[in-house]
Amino acid sequence: MNNNPYSKLFEPVKIGPVVTKNRFYQVPHCCGMGHLRPKAHAAMRETKAKGGWGVVSTEEAEIHPSSDLAPYVEQRIWDKKDIPALRLMTEAVHKHGALAAIELTHSGHNSTNLFSRIPVMSPNAQPVNFLYPKQSRRMSKRDISDFRDWHKRAALNAKEAGFDIVYVYAGHGMSVAQQFILPDMNNRVDEYGGSLDNRLRLTRELLEETQEAIGDSCGVAFRFAVDELKGKDGMQFEEEGRAVVELLSELPDLWDVNVSDWSNDSQTSRFQPNEGYQMPYVELVKSLTTKPVVGVGRLTSPDLMVKLVDRGALDLIGAARPSIADPYLPNKIKTENTDQIKECIGCNICVSSDNFSVPIRCTQNPTMGEEWRRGWDPEYIKPKLSDQQALVVGSGPAGLECSLQLARRGYQVTLAEAENKLGGRVLFESSLKGLSAWKRVVDNRVHEILQKNNIEVYKESRLTEDHIIELGIKNIFLATGSSWRKDGVGRSRRSPIQGLESIKVYSPEEAVQNYKNIKSSVVVYDDEQGYLAGVIADHLKAKNVEVVFITPASVVSPWTDSTLEQKRVQRSLINSGVKIICNQSIYKIENATALLECTYTGSITKVPCKSIVMVTERISNSALYDNLMQSNLEGKTQYNIQAIGDAEAPGLIADAVYLGHLAAQNFEADETDIQREMFMREMPSLK
Ligand code: ADP
Ligand code: SF4
């Protein structure tokens, strides 16, 4: 370890009365498991501890039913009844020598209390943060005193549940403590409003009371958003952010620094390509306190981590997403296997799962969220059951993942790809404006594949049924992907658009390849309503193509709301001069004009349209699958055939990786064992 260039990252750090064994700190992050799926939650956090993280934290833990985050599934520590479920996590994490941290949260008007139905409360009376016609009531002095009691009681219960670090939380616009600090959320005229000292009073009380209650044996962490990135309209570090740090400087045992709101903290690589983008703030906080500081910003590169520690920018390498993409990141650095790190691509599919209240998933790490219910682990996979061989056709995300995992199990794998490069759709999508980091999905896998001596890769090999017969391998995984249809059938219109033969129609790939041939403006028609049409419009506009963006949706790329990007997507198109037409579906092309039908009234308007990029729906490339199945049916062959990824049903890159992984895990499993549709479930106790 002494000769390890990264040894600095494995030094212990004291956090109040506890000591973390190294500088790797998984900061609190949501995971869609929380109080509803405690076994799944504990197993997921345990995998991080097993992978070497020194500290592993929960997500937000509601301290009281007046802060009920339903329908979002977060953690809960309302009373002692929550302790056994939380203890599952602390015991699992402790088994591997890591510390367990809990983020105590009262969300003020960021909760809607849909489950508890208790009136929402916050510093001011104001609308709740979610689209629900409901307002919070202004907290009385009695409420403030009750809240402090709940927080203290939750801290004591957290200690009893085995946590080593307990948070006071003032970040993301999601905590009542932060709402008291921010002047536009606190217009009180009592001792909790007005001056910064007054607005900070509640946070100071929480920190002092938490220290008093559990500070003898637990570290007290303070998670604080030092800047809202709203300029003068919000908290700025150089104004009140710095002052807060100065006023509270030595009170917590640890500063967990970030920016607010969540979309600024968890920025995607599309809009924030820089690793360590929050470091300027973190470094400033570090200069104002002697207490340890943890900072985040998609930190993945060990060299950068060492540099940051060396120059005193922070003490602890904070990570949510890099720990999701690779729970074993610290161990890989420790053993100097840094080339094996699965790098986060900054796509926020993990975030989207929390927004849909389902267990977390990750594009890079298909085992994320499956630790308990399927028993998956990113580093260990069950060995092969026989000496059978497998053929994988297509090297997109599904084919690459499937081949790699079959090879890791020990099978002899043949991977055939029609093109001269491996990667499928990822090669195209990562070539688009803002998405270059997505290429890591391919690079990380190809790197590992090239090190295996049991995968033979054939590029420029478009396989037909005859080739497959010639090869003689009977286990066949068809990862042949999908193609964008060009007839206009999509989410809102199930029959083709008439008149398309009279204009130039491009698929997304064709438009990007032939953008120089687009002479006047082009219509980008988005009836998929995912992310791609917005990216294509942005990409073409950056190449000086005039773009008119038309969609039946009421905003641009509505799906990207779930990845915290929608506002940035629409802003970027508006700023670059793309003309946006929402709530309109194209029903006909006539005389180089698109006839648009209003999705509400059916009224017709017209827009010039000589060429169009169709982003509406994909069709699985299933011809080879169909032919091979037919050959089986006719009794000519006895193949074991499976279509995987987009060839089975088009979806996200994350879905393709997952389905490739699932197919490799299930290969040769006993029919009764095949967990394709079934997995373990946490059943409610009927006691
Ligand atoms: P997925 O997302 O499911 O992995 P992709 O569309 O990304 O699918 O990748 C499919 C890959 O399969 C592409 O790289 C394509 O060139 C390749 N492919 C399609 N048909 C064949 C074939 N018959 N033989 C070999 N490769 C094929
Ligand atoms: Fe990173 Fe995307 Fe995985 Fe989230 S889903 S951890 S952003 S790779």
Side-chain angles (χ1 to χ4, degrees):
M1 193 68 213
N2 281 345
N3 294 330
N4 183 318
Y6 309 115
S7 56
K8 190 137 223 151
L9 303 175
F10 294 89
E11 293 166 346
V13 179
K14 193 166 164 5
I15 302 171
V18 297
V19 178
T20 161
K21 64 179 176 180
N22 62 33
R23 297 183 187 272
F24 291 94
Y25 192 115
Q26 181 246 282
V27 295
H29 72 75
C30 305
C31 64
M33 291 163 167
H35 66 94
L36 278 186
R37 302 171 182 112
K39 291 181 187 164
H41 177 257
M44 184 271 282
R45 303 290 182 197
E46 178 173 6
T47 305
K48 313 250 196 129
K50 217 199 269 180
W53 295 86
V55 179
V56 179
S57 310
T58 62
E59 59 276 67
E60 295 173 282
E62 307 163 355
I63 61 168
H64 190 262
S66 63
S67 169
D68 149 38
L69 285 158
Y72 302 103
V73 185
E74 310 300 335
Q75 208 46 266
R76 230 166 231 184
I77 184 157
W78 288 1
D79 58 31
K80 286 200 185 297
K81 290 199 281 300
D82 294 303
I83 291 177
L86 291 166
R87 203 177 273 138
L88 288 181
M89 170 192 163
T90 57
E91 285 173 356
V93 163
H94 288 159
K95 257 194 260 165
H96 306 279
L99 300 179
I102 182 166
E103 185 179 54
L104 301 185
T105 307
H106 193 294
S107 305
H109 67 267
N110 194 59
S111 51
T112 319
N113 295 354
L114 291 175
F115 175 58
S116 69
R117 303 190 72 178
I118 292 175
V120 174
M121 56 179 164
S122 57
N124 294 349
Q126 67 173 92
V128 295
N129 269 356
F130 299 95
L131 267 183
Y132 194 96
K134 188 171 182 177
Q135 294 180 207
S136 62
R137 71 175 159 80
R138 183 177 180 276
M139 285 169 82
S140 66
K141 290 279 183 57
R142 173 72 196 270
D143 291 329
I144 293 174
S145 152
D146 286 347
F147 163 58
R148 287 165 55 192
D149 285 346
W150 301 332
H151 199 277
K152 201 194 305 181
R153 190 183 64 200
L156 287 165
N157 286 341
K159 177 178 163 180
E160 194 178 328
F163 286 99
D164 310 283
I165 296 172
V166 175
Y167 270 78
V168 172
Y169 175 42
H172 296 120
M174 293 181 180
S175 111
V176 83
Q178 186 192 19
Q179 291 158 15
F180 267 89
I181 297 171
L182 299 175
D184 64 337
M185 295 191 189
N186 178 352
N187 61 9
R188 303 175 71 95
V189 290
D190 59 10
E191 68 270 33
Y192 287 95
S195 68
L196 179 60
D197 265 337
N198 278 359
R199 284 181 277 121
L200 208 50
R201 184 179 308 277
L202 180 62
T203 299
R204 187 187 287 280
E205 287 168 345
L206 294 179
L207 283 166
E208 286 169 352
E209 287 160 4
T210 310
Q211 284 284 14
E212 204 181 293
I214 48 126
D216 58 330
S217 55
C218 300
V220 176
F222 181 42
R223 193 177 211 193
F224 178 54
V226 296
D227 200 306
E228 290 185 279
L229 306 193
K230 286 179 177 173
K232 288 197 178 350
D233 295 334
M235 173 171 287
Q236 299 184 79
F237 183 79
E238 280 313 331
E239 306 285 327
E240 291 202 330
R242 169 190 283 274
V244 169
V245 183
E246 284 170 347
L247 286 164
L248 301 179
S249 159
E250 301 301 308
L251 206 44
D253 296 318
L254 170 80
W255 282 85
D256 179 339
V257 181
N258 63 9
V259 290
S260 189
D261 55 7
W262 192 12
S263 72
N264 288 328
D265 186 21
S266 294
Q267 291 185 55
T268 56
S269 57
R270 180 171 171 191
F271 294 100
Q272 177 48 271
N274 301 331
E275 186 176 339
Y277 55 90
Q278 300 198 32
M279 286 312 117
Y281 298 101
V282 176
E283 204 158 355
L284 284 166
V285 173
K286 174 77 185 143
S287 71
L288 299 173
T289 176
T290 65
K291 297 300 169 103
V293 172
V294 56
V296 292
R298 280 202 326 270
L299 295 169
T300 304
S301 312
D303 291 329
L304 175 64
M305 294 174 190
V306 170
K307 264 192 218 145
L308 290 171
V309 173
D310 272 344
R311 79 158 192 257
L314 43 56
D315 302 282
L316 294 149
I317 306 298
R321 290 173 293 176
S323 76
I324 295 166
D326 197 339
Y328 283 78
L329 185 141
N331 281 357
K332 289 177 182 173
I333 298 176
K334 194 171 189 176
T335 54
E336 292 187 59
N337 286 311
T338 53
D339 64 321
Q340 305 294 322
I341 293 172
K342 290 275 182 309
E343 302 159 294
C344 168
I345 67 167
C347 61
N348 277 5
I349 294 305
C350 48
V351 170
S352 75
S353 43
D354 186 60
N355 281 328
F356 290 118
S357 307
V358 292
I360 190 165
R361 61 218 50 204
C362 169
T363 304
Q364 276 287 52
N365 174 12
T367 69
M368 180 49 47
E370 305 290 346
E371 300 82 357
W372 179 79
R373 69 179 193 178
R374 288 191 188 272
W376 290 357
D377 182 292
E379 292 304 303
Y380 304 101
I381 188 162
K382 55 181 177 278
K384 66 178 183 177
L385 298 177
S386 74
D387 286 333
Q388 296 227 33
Q389 291 188 31
L391 169 66
V392 178
V393 185
S395 71
L400 284 179
E401 177 69 12
C402 183
S403 322
L404 178 59
Q405 299 308 334
L406 286 170
R408 289 180 71 215
R409 290 188 63 189
Y411 291 104
Q412 183 64 40
V413 181
T414 301
L415 170 62
E417 165 55 52
E419 302 296 329
N420 63 5
K421 281 193 182 137
L422 304 182
R425 65 183 280 193
V426 176
L427 295 181
F428 168 64
E429 293 185 33
S430 63
S431 74
L432 300 174
K433 188 179 166 214
L435 301 189
S436 60
W438 290 21
K439 178 101 183 321
R440 292 170 165 184
V441 173
V442 172
D443 293 344
N444 289 174
R445 285 172 176 76
V446 170
H447 178 72
E448 215 176 321
I449 284 174
L450 293 179
Q451 291 167 352
K452 297 249 172 269
N453 55 18
N454 56 341
I455 308 188
E456 277 180 87
V457 179
Y458 296 93
K459 295 184 205 168
E460 298 183 71
S461 304
R462 181 173 292 281
L463 297 196
T464 60
E465 203 188 326
D466 289 344
H467 294 130
I468 290 176
I469 292 171
E470 221 172 280
L471 272 169
I473 303 172
K474 83 176 202 351
N475 302 299
I476 306 161
F477 296 90
L478 294 162
T480 47
S482 62
S483 309
W484 287 97
R485 59 193 302 164
K486 288 166 63 178
D487 59 1
V489 172
R491 191 172 285 279
S492 67
R493 187 172 291 278
R494 301 308 301 160
S495 55
I497 297 172
Q498 300 160 40
L500 281 172
E501 63 290 346
S502 63
I503 59 166
K504 181 79 196 158
V505 182
Y506 296 103
S507 69
E509 293 90 344
E510 288 164 349
V512 168
Q513 213 167 26
N514 300 305
Y515 74 92
K516 286 187 180 146
N517 301 334
I518 302 175
K519 294 296 173 226
S520 53
S521 69
V522 69
V523 167
V524 172
Y525 183 51
D526 183 14
D527 196 14
E528 187 208 21
Q529 307 180 24
Y531 59 87
L532 193 71
V535 179
I536 297 281
D538 214 6
H539 185 90
L540 292 177
K541 187 69 185 127
K543 303 268 184 206
N544 293 321
V545 177
E546 284 311 310
V547 176
V548 180
F549 187 93
I550 301 177
T551 178
S554 48
V555 293
V556 172
S557 304
W559 145 264
T560 60
D561 204 31
S562 72
T563 53
L564 310 178
E565 295 173 291
Q566 197 281 327
K567 286 200 171 62
R568 284 177 166 85
V569 172
Q570 193 142 349
R571 190 185 309 137
S572 147
L573 294 197
I574 293 170
N575 285 341
S576 65
V578 169
K579 185 171 180 206
I580 297 169
I581 302 175
C582 292
N583 300 320
Q584 302 287 336
S585 77
I586 301 178
Y587 92 100
K588 193 176 183 183
I589 305 289
E590 207 171 67
N591 303 325
T593 302
L595 305 190
L596 312 183
E597 189 176 28
C598 171
T599 50
Y600 295 104
T601 64
S603 66
I604 304 295
T605 46
K606 295 181 179 181
V607 170
C609 179
K610 287 190 184 142
S611 59
I612 188 166
V613 187
M614 210 57 97
V615 191
T616 57
E617 190 172 299
R618 285 179 284 162
I619 299 178
S620 293
N621 299 330
S622 60
L624 192 53
Y625 174 82
D626 295 340
N627 290 343
L628 293 171
M629 286 301 273
Q630 186 59 31
S631 164
N632 268 2
L633 269 179
E634 289 167 7
K636 291 192 215 150
T637 50
Q638 278 190 314
Y639 293 127
N640 172 15
I641 315 164
Q642 191 181 344
I644 56 172
D646 293 323
E648 184 183 16
L652 293 169
I653 293 173
D655 297 321
V657 172
Y658 180 82
L659 293 172
H661 190 97
L662 182 63
Q665 289 268 9
N666 282 346
F667 182 48
E668 285 208 289
D670 187 328
E671 272 303 310
T672 53
D673 289 350
I674 290 190
Q675 298 284 303
R676 187 176 166 75
E677 272 90 28
M678 289 304 290
F679 39 77
M680 292 208 293
R681 289 183 293 152
E682 297 188 55
M683 306 306 285
S685 161
L686 298 180
K687 271 188 217 152

